[in-house]
Amino acid sequence: MQRTDKVWWCIAALSGAVLVILGAYAAHGLAARTTETMVSAVETGVRYQAWHTLAIMVVLVWRQVQPLAGQHWVLALWVLGMGCFSGSLYLMALAGLNIGIVTPIGGLLLMAGWLALGVVALLAQRRHT
């Protein structure tokens, strides 16, 4: 395993731990502190973070089988996107901070990661045909 992959795995593990902690808090304690809208915002952040954490792990397994240069861009876009999208929702609900444009920028980064995944897959297919 490449050293950079170990870092990505650690990021995925930390992301998984954070999403479980925040998901549990949203389900069991957050409603007493804030509005239902804010609880829903945390749940949305957790859901997006969970799916993208899983996707990161899938790409890391793919890298073990077929390492490709563009895969790191996919991972980076998803990690930045999760930080911006989910992180801004968490800050809004838990700290009362509204950092406005960061949430949609995070969504765009997540989308860009998915598009980058498609490009990497298409380029990999071309090299092997």
Side-chain angles (χ1 to χ4, degrees), residues 64-120:
Q64 291 295 305
V65 177
Q66 184 182 17
L68 301 168
Q71 290 163 327
H72 73 281
W73 286 108
V74 174
L75 298 170
L77 287 165
W78 282 340
V79 168
L80 289 171
M82 285 190 308
C84 291
F85 182 81
S86 295
S88 66
L89 292 175
Y90 302 151
L91 288 172
M92 181 177 59
L94 301 173
L97 296 175
N98 186 355
I99 44 182
I101 194 71
V102 175
T103 309
I105 288 172
L108 289 172
L109 289 166
L110 294 172
M111 289 180 239
W114 287 105
L115 294 172
L117 177 67
V119 169
V120 170

Side-chain angles (χ1 to χ4, degrees), residues 22-23 25-45 47 89 92-94:
L22 290 174
Y25 184 52
H28 301 292
L30 187 58
R33 254 192 93 216
T34 190
T35 66
E36 184 57 39
T37 301
M38 291 297 106
V39 173
S40 179
V42 171
E43 290 170 344
T44 298
R47 187 172 49 255
L89 292 175
M92 181 177 59
L94 301 173

